[in-house]
Amino acid sequence: MTTSIAVFGSAFNPPSLGHKSVLERLWHFDRVLLLPSYAHAWGKAMIDYDARCELVEAFIDDLALPNLELSRLEKEMAVGDESITTFAVLTELQTRMPEAELTFVVGPDNFLSFSKFYKSDEILSKWQILACPETVKIRSTIIRDNIVKSRSISHLTTKKVARMLTDKAHYSFREHD
């Protein structure tokens, strides 16, 4: 039997209720891989990778959806601080799980600029693409901004993630990240 796997790549910088609004609609997949970016393709500053993975694990725990799992594949594939392309990730996943049916989940902003992705035509010919807009317009940027300005974030992310971000000093945020 073929396993259906949704691949949801994001910076998760940090996970937000916007991410949650997408993930809740992916219930029909056998597995949903949450794939934090190891390095941002456009050089955006991010919370440390391992710290973001801790946040994603807490996020998954809070959501309690049975098909969600963290994937650290980009770290395994990383060479230095180079960003990993979607094509490389999907190729590696397909090699590791040759019988799986992979679907790459993108937000509407990335879907509209999908032609700019490395080997976008090959991605479209080999795998499914699912444009899944957020139904809750809460971005990670709002969370980071609220933290910098010492405002509440409890209404922007899940309970454990909010607690971790409030309690942990090693999540560093600056005004212009």
Side-chain angles (χ1 to χ4, degrees):
M1 189 170 141
T2 303
T3 302
S4 63
I5 300 175
V7 181
F8 185 52
S10 176
F12 295 108
N13 191 36
S16 71
L17 294 182
H19 293 118
K20 177 182 182 253
S21 73
V22 171
L23 295 169
E24 288 174 330
R25 289 178 291 144
L26 302 178
W27 57 268
H28 56 286
F29 287 94
D30 296 319
R31 297 169 64 193
V32 178
L33 304 181
L34 280 65
L35 191 77
S37 306
Y38 186 70
H40 199 277
W42 296 284
K44 182 170 105 178
M46 294 187 291
I47 302 169
D48 171 73
Y49 178 80
D50 289 323
R52 284 184 289 119
C53 287
E54 288 175 19
L55 292 167
V56 169
E57 286 173 334
F59 188 64
I60 289 169
D61 196 38
D62 277 339
L63 297 181
L65 298 172
N67 61 349
L68 300 184
E69 59 189 87
L70 170 66
S71 173
R72 294 177 182 253
L73 180 61
E74 285 204 16
K75 184 174 185 177
E76 294 173 30
M77 295 174 64
V79 177
D81 288 335
E82 295 285 317
S83 62
I84 313 291
T85 66
T86 298
F87 179 80
V89 165
L90 293 173
T91 299
E92 181 62 24
L93 283 171
Q94 198 72 78
T95 299
R96 292 181 183 198
M97 299 175 280
E99 299 302 315
E101 183 179 292
L102 301 177
T103 299
F104 183 63
V105 180
V106 296
D109 50 342
N110 281 330
F111 184 72
L112 294 174
S113 62
F114 194 76
S115 63
K116 295 178 184 174
F117 277 51
Y118 177 72
K119 294 193 175 185
S120 61
D121 290 340
E122 277 189 65
I123 293 171
L124 290 169
S125 70
K126 293 181 178 188
W127 299 288
Q128 307 252 356
I129 305 299
L130 175 62
C132 198
E134 300 157 333
T135 57
V136 174
K137 302 291 183 195
I138 295 177
R139 312 288 305 223
S140 299
T141 307
I142 297 167
I143 298 172
R144 293 192 310 270
D145 187 54
N146 277 22
I147 291 170
V148 168
K149 294 177 178 167
S150 300
R151 295 181 186 153
S152 174
I153 59 168
S154 62
H155 60 295
L156 303 172
T157 189
T158 63
K159 283 185 179 185
K160 286 182 184 175
V161 173
R163 188 171 32 246
M164 289 171 72
L165 289 169
T166 304
D167 294 346
K168 299 250 182 162
H170 71 269
Y171 302 122
S172 65
F173 296 96
R174 294 178 305 276
E175 291 264 5
H176 300 291
D177 279 358

